[in-house]
Amino acid sequence: GARIREGDCAVLKRDEVFKAVSVLRRRKIIFEKQWFYLDNAIGHIYGTTFEVTSGGSLQPKQEVEETPTETKEAGTDNRNIVDDGKSQKLTHDDIKALKDKGIKGQEIVQQLIENSTTFRDKTEFAQDKYIKKKKRKYEAVITIVKPSTRILSTMYYAREPGKINHLRYDTLAQMLTLGNIHAGNKTIVMETCAGLVLGAVMERMGGYGSIIQMYPGGGPVRAATSCFGFPKAFFDNLHEFPLSKVQSLLSGTFTTETLPAEPEENALGEEESNGLGEERQISLQETEEEPATEAPMEVNPAEEQDTMDIHAEDVEFKENREKENRENVREKQMKQWERRKKLKEAAALLRERNADGLIVASKFHPTPLLLSLLEFVAPSRPFVVYCQYKEPLLECYTKLRERGGVINLKLSESWLRNYQVLPDRSHPKLTMSGGGGYLLSGITVLLEQGSSDCSTSEALQGEEPSSKRCKLQDLPC
Amino acid sequence: MSFVEYGDTIKDGDTAIVFLGHESMFPVKVQHGTVTQTKYGVIRHSTDLIGKKYGSKVTCSKGGWVFILHPTPELWTMNLPHRTQILYSTDISIITMMLELKPGSIVCESGTGSGSLSHALIRTVAPTGHLYTVEFHQQRAEKAREEFREHGVEHLVTVTNQDVCKNGFGVSNIADAVFLDIPSPWEAIGHAKSALKAEGGRICSFSPCIEQVQRTCLAMEEYGFTEINTLEILLRVYNVRTISLQIPDLGKAAEDNSSTGFDSSSPSHQGSSCANLQQGTVQFKSGVPLREVVGHTGYLTFATKS
């Protein structure tokens, strides 16, 4: 199996809570109110469960036989259980003392059980629940898993839904399927979901084919993409193209010479700080509602490195600054040249107008995006648009019908229900997500020159039969 | 054309989808000299299909016309000949993601059934992965083999005709993921475990009844699977309609137009709804749920071998 290596992108898991981190030595990680170092995890197989021991080091958890197989004593109902707040004989200070002594979580749980006067009177199910709850609190075990779309999309939806426009993981799953994303495709992706949708598409394409990412502003955001830990080769056929140049590309006036000479760093910085500001607000709101909210996700190592370099430069190498500046200018010119070359490649790919699919999941109104970007897609190819809200997709649906060149339009939403399955205690989970967004999907067809496809057989049998419309209007009053 | 690679033009031997209109389509095997009947008239393959671009409008003999679409696993799912109950794309999508499938994945599946999920799995694991699918019904196994051949994906799939509960998947320590859609999945959990790679993988079992799920979960726990998680996914489809609601006559219109609360000149009403005071109606766009929808397909239980 794959082993955890230094520099890897990994995901920490505790129960249902995830956190993406980069595996670095001597680096303190805070996760679920605990701190530890990942040093000892290096070399172990992904999927290994660790215990946090003293000094924040991780030790692989030994499989232990469940101990409470003593005299099983349990009540049948709760008619005599009174909440007097005194059933636990250990005080808060006692528990803290146990913890400070470095006693294993397992033993603390055992002590709590022994010192609970009501435990024996609880029903077997209630005892089970009590133990599970205490274990969760005192037995600090974390599993280190390999990142995947499953894990990262679940993590993002739980931790930072605002960054991904509340795109729930089952909705993302629908997009990948409806879009027929697979190896060999030439896919156009327009997203403002921190690069999560891009990463999901890259995973499904496995490095085969090409992706053109359309981006707003100064550059594409790929914070989530970097959490996947893709091999370098996956980025060879990943292209990017600025949204602001789409019109000129479609009208044939596009040249790379007209490219505004924005320094990449600035543009990226701006985009990221915007995202962060927004995020801070959101996480503040969340903390108010739910005090147990996690610290924001791990910054990716590259970003961290950058800020550290700048800091060091400020303090130590002030005198070398001018020289460095000159080098920077040269470097910037090189970067600019590279960027132009890449832009030309992306433009050429789009100009062929033969993409195998279009995936849109952004904070922008979907209609103008669709009307323009569909021009780059070949006939008989699927497209999928995500929107957090239904109404813009209603309009998009109408406008696409007016434009023509699309069939099989479908507006949908998926519902997800999780279940607790235990002997004699199976039921749907108490809470479920209220909404995971909406999708509009369809298939492109050859658009006949000069005629809008309003009179297609599809339109006749599709949207609103005129007889029905009459009925609605002719309702008796 | 193949189900794992797009092609531009329709060729002899292709499987194409004839699209007649909303929710009305069927697959056709393209063959020189063959004709296909539709309600809009005849399609002659040699002249009307072969050499044309996928996505073209094809005029039939009676003057009506249809679109010819490139096949995809999703279109196939909607049009395939049923030999069993099948899995639809909504369940398939979450199965694919939760099993962490991608190019190169090795997957075991049972039963093959009508091959609805199989086509989607093959599409996702191509070009370097493989599907081992087990079907205990000999005719169905044979039919599936034939379809995979016709669809140009036979190199990506091995169909085995045996009982997965008794004889397993016919492979061991090879799979990244296992999928079970059989009446008694708990009897196949042991075989599933040995089919999965030694270093681990993912499993999913699909069952319509909760009792089946309970037995499966117990078996999974017994065999040391972790992260056992049961879920259900449902699709809500909306029809996009323009709705007109009448404004009730409260006797106010004559006195003061604005008191109806629908000032047609206000910009807030120009987007989604518009009021027509003369006719006494307000129009708006709505996504209307279908009158009847699928309320339950099956429970999906996922777990990890680690």
Side-chain angles (χ1 to χ4, degrees):
Chain A
R3 289 183 185 275
I4 301 164
R5 287 168 316 169
E6 194 175 359
D8 273 4
C9 302
V11 178
L12 309 177
K13 175 179 187 291
R14 188 176 165 185
D15 295 314
E16 307 283 298
V17 185
F18 296 99
K19 179 186 176 115
V21 293
S22 35
V23 180
L24 295 170
R25 287 186 194 273
R26 291 174 296 281
R27 187 128 177 279
K28 202 173 186 171
I29 304 278
I30 298 166
F31 177 49
E32 289 278 280
K33 293 180 208 151
Q34 281 193 309
W35 59 268
F36 47 85
Y37 295 90
L38 292 176
D39 299 46
N40 286 349
I42 294 169
H44 285 279
I45 292 170
Y46 275 102
T48 306
T49 299
F50 298 90
E51 263 177 301
V52 181
T53 58
S54 54
S57 72
L58 293 177
Q59 293 304 325
K61 187 174 159 43
Q62 308 293 321
E63 260 323 310
V64 262
E65 278 300 306
E66 294 295 308
T67 38
T69 43
E70 309 142 22
T71 48
K72 274 223 169 172
E73 220 182 308
T76 49
D77 58 44
N78 60 9
R79 76 182 74 191
N80 294 317
I81 294 180
V82 184
D83 182 13
D84 55 4
K86 291 180 203 152
S87 59
Q88 182 53 254
K89 294 302 169 203
L90 290 180
T91 65
H92 196 76
D93 291 337
D94 293 339
I95 297 168
K96 193 173 179 297
L98 286 176
K99 277 212 275 196
D100 290 345
K101 265 194 261 173
I103 284 179
K104 277 198 170 181
Q106 228 173 329
E107 285 159 33
I108 297 179
V109 174
Q110 201 51 44
Q111 295 233 22
L112 285 169
I113 293 170
E114 279 160 22
N115 286 288
S116 163
T117 55
T118 50
F119 185 80
R120 250 165 277 247
D121 299 327
K122 286 177 193 280
T123 65
E124 214 178 303
F125 297 151
Q127 288 181 353
D128 206 33
K129 202 169 169 184
Y130 181 87
I131 294 170
K132 266 193 190 152
K133 215 166 141 187
K134 296 300 171 195
K135 270 191 175 173
R136 191 169 302 160
K137 189 160 176 190
Y138 296 101
E139 284 185 19
V141 291
I142 58 150
T143 307
I144 302 184
V145 295
K146 225 176 160 23
S148 64
T149 302
R150 166 177 75 101
I151 284 162
L152 293 174
S153 60
T154 314
M155 177 185 83
Y156 261 93
Y157 188 73
R159 295 174 76 94
E160 309 203 82
K163 269 198 176 161
I164 56 166
N165 302 298
H166 295 256
L167 169 70
R168 210 208 287 129
Y169 43 98
D170 54 309
T171 314
L172 176 58
Q174 302 291 318
M175 295 182 75
L176 297 169
T177 298
L178 288 170
N180 191 23
I181 302 300
H182 66 282
N185 267 11
K186 172 171 169 181
T187 311
I188 301 176
V189 178
M190 163 55 208
E191 64 130 289
T192 59
C193 294
L196 178 71
V197 175
L198 175 71
V201 170
M202 287 171 75
E203 184 182 277
R204 283 292 173 87
M205 289 180 52
Y208 302 92
S210 53
I211 303 171
I212 307 126
Q213 182 183 17
M214 315 299 292
Y215 63 88
V221 178
R222 292 177 186 164
T225 320
S226 66
C227 294
F228 284 81
F230 289 128
K232 271 213 175 72
F234 277 33
F235 293 89
D236 292 347
N237 288 315
L238 171 59
H239 306 266
E240 61 238 23
F241 191 83
L243 266 187
S244 56
K245 295 281 156 197
V246 165
Q247 205 45 56
S248 65
L249 191 65
L250 285 171
S251 62
T253 57
F254 172 82
T255 59
T256 50
E257 309 312 316
T258 64
L259 183 75
E262 334 165 70
E264 201 170 4
E265 289 91 339
N266 279 356
L268 268 174
E270 196 184 306
E271 186 65 36
E272 263 157 19
S273 68
N274 278 348
L276 271 176
E278 201 179 68
E279 198 45 46
R280 216 166 274 149
Q281 260 185 329
I282 287 159
S283 61
L284 260 177
Q285 278 172 4
E286 279 172 357
T287 357
E288 276 165 28
E289 286 166 23
E290 194 188 359
T293 307
E294 272 305 297
M297 219 172 305
E298 198 75 1
V299 201
N300 87 48
E303 288 169 33
E304 184 112 315
Q305 205 59 49
D306 275 357
T307 51
M308 273 169 57
D309 285 351
I310 291 162
H311 192 68
E313 184 186 285
D314 274 342
V315 181
E316 280 172 59
F317 307 102
K318 232 171 191 171
E319 61 271 29
N320 288 337
R321 243 197 177 162
E322 257 185 51
K323 192 179 152 199
E324 261 180 32
N325 271 349
R326 250 175 284 137
E327 275 171 19
N328 276 348
V329 169
R330 210 172 306 139
E331 209 173 282
K332 259 181 195 163
Q333 280 173 335
M334 279 296 286
K335 268 189 181 170
Q336 187 97 35
W337 184 80
E338 285 260 325
R339 210 169 139 238
R340 250 183 213 169
K341 197 180 133 215
K342 286 202 77 176
L343 189 71
K344 267 185 201 161
E345 286 171 10
L349 282 171
L350 288 170
R351 267 200 208 99
E352 292 172 345
R353 297 184 181 228
N354 66 350
D356 296 316
L358 169 66
I359 300 280
V360 176
S362 81
K363 59 183 177 186
F364 300 107
H365 199 296
T367 305
L369 287 173
L370 261 280
L371 290 179
S372 296
L373 298 182
L374 275 178
E375 300 290 317
F376 300 120
V377 182
S380 196
R381 299 293 188 272
F383 62 89
V384 197
V385 206
Y386 167 82
C387 187
Q388 193 185 339
Y389 312 100
K390 201 200 294 177
E391 290 74 11
L393 292 179
L394 296 176
E395 200 214 297
C396 193
Y397 180 102
T398 312
K399 287 283 190 288
L400 285 180
R401 280 216 176 270
E402 284 168 16
R403 171 193 180 266
V406 293
I407 56 167
N408 214 31
L409 287 184
K410 194 161 103 182
L411 176 61
S412 66
E413 176 193 16
S414 55
W415 283 5
L416 189 68
R417 210 160 170 61
N418 279 285
Y419 285 82
Q420 166 179 302
V421 180
L422 290 169
D424 297 324
R425 279 159 295 164
S426 298
H427 57 72
K429 292 261 172 82
L430 293 183
T431 54
M432 66 187 276
S433 158
Y438 300 84
L439 294 178
L440 178 62
S441 62
I443 302 172
T444 55
V445 288
L446 270 177
L447 188 59
E448 271 167 38
Q449 224 70 90
S451 76
S452 103
D453 267 352
C454 272
S455 59
T456 64
S457 60
E458 154 82 342
L460 284 174
Q461 294 159 46
E463 187 192 2
E464 12 184 345
S466 49
S467 60
K468 272 191 191 161
R469 193 193 288 176
C470 288
K471 266 186 215 154
L472 280 167
Q473 280 169 346
D474 294 346
L475 277 174
C477 39
Chain B
M1 129 18 270
S2 108
F3 273 61
V4 294
E5 206 174 344
Y6 281 117
D8 286 338
T9 53
I10 305 165
K11 293 185 183 69
D12 190 24
D14 279 6
T15 297
I17 307 291
V18 180
F19 185 93
L20 289 95
H22 189 64
E23 302 267 296
S24 167
M25 44 185 151
F26 59 85
V28 63
K29 202 181 165 202
V30 180
Q31 274 175 310
H32 265 297
T34 309
V35 294
T36 298
Q37 292 288 343
T38 77
K39 59 180 172 184
Y40 301 119
V42 168
I43 301 172
R44 287 171 212 289
H45 292 203
S46 305
T47 51
D48 297 337
L49 298 183
I50 293 169
K52 287 258 178 72
K53 266 196 148 197
Y54 275 109
S56 299
K57 190 190 266 188
V58 170
T59 307
C60 307
S61 61
K62 287 184 196 164
W65 35 259
V66 298
F67 285 106
I68 308 296
L69 299 180
H70 196 287
T72 65
E74 287 59 54
L75 287 173
W76 183 246
T77 288
M78 286 191 266
N79 295 291
L80 57 83
H82 282 219
R83 302 182 282 272
T84 56
Q85 213 9 303
I86 63 160
L87 279 166
Y88 289 93
S89 297
T90 313
D91 284 307
I92 289 172
S93 67
I94 196 94
I95 291 166
T96 310
M97 182 198 268
M98 290 300 183
L99 288 181
E100 306 191 332
L101 301 183
K102 54 192 182 209
S105 297
I106 308 291
V107 197
C108 290
E109 176 202 34
S110 187
T112 314
S114 307
S116 170
L117 176 69
S118 312
H119 279 82
L121 295 176
I122 292 167
R123 173 264 317 271
T124 303
V125 306
T128 47
H130 200 84
L131 171 67
Y132 294 90
T133 184
V134 176
E135 171 61 54
F136 68 178
H137 190 281
Q138 201 198 327
Q139 244 181 328
R140 284 204 291 263
E142 202 41 60
K143 193 77 194 136
R145 274 192 205 111
E146 198 181 307
E147 271 173 9
F148 295 140
R149 221 171 10 246
E150 270 181 28
H151 296 164
V153 295
E154 65 201 301
H155 57 296
L156 297 163
V157 54
T158 306
V159 185
T160 309
N161 176 214
Q162 65 186 32
D163 183 348
V164 74
C165 296
K166 290 205 183 86
N167 310 109
F169 291 94
V171 290
S172 57
N173 292 330
I174 187 173
D176 297 290
V178 171
F179 177 80
L180 293 170
D181 179 6
I182 53 173
S184 52
W186 56 91
E187 291 176 7
I189 299 297
H191 293 300
K193 191 179 179 183
S194 55
L196 285 167
K197 282 177 178 161
E199 63 255 40
R202 295 275 292 165
I203 184 170
C204 174
S205 171
F206 174 94
S207 295
C209 307
I210 197 74
E211 290 82 2
Q212 293 170 302
V213 176
Q214 285 176 328
R215 297 180 76 163
T216 307
C217 285
L218 284 176
M220 283 177 174
E221 218 172 285
E222 201 180 304
Y223 280 98
F225 283 91
T226 56
E227 281 191 285
I228 302 168
N229 182 23
T230 301
L231 57 84
E232 188 184 21
I233 186 167
L234 289 172
L235 191 71
R236 301 270 292 176
V237 177
Y238 298 97
N239 280 327
V240 180
R241 299 220 184 281
T242 307
I243 311 281
S244 293
L245 291 184
Q246 277 199 320
I247 302 167
D249 181 8
L250 299 174
K252 284 183 182 170
E255 293 171 25
D256 182 9
N257 270 352
S258 64
S259 66
T260 58
F262 299 108
D263 183 358
S264 53
S265 65
S266 94
S268 65
H269 283 108
Q270 306 213 324
S272 56
S273 68
C274 70
N276 190 330
L277 292 173
Q278 267 69 45
Q279 284 176 17
T281 59
V282 179
Q283 279 202 343
F284 60 94
K285 288 253 172 227
S286 180
V288 185
L290 308 187
R291 194 134 34 115
E292 203 168 48
V293 294
V294 174
H296 179 68
T297 54
Y299 300 104
L300 291 165
T301 301
F302 294 93
T304 304
K305 172 189 175 180
S306 50

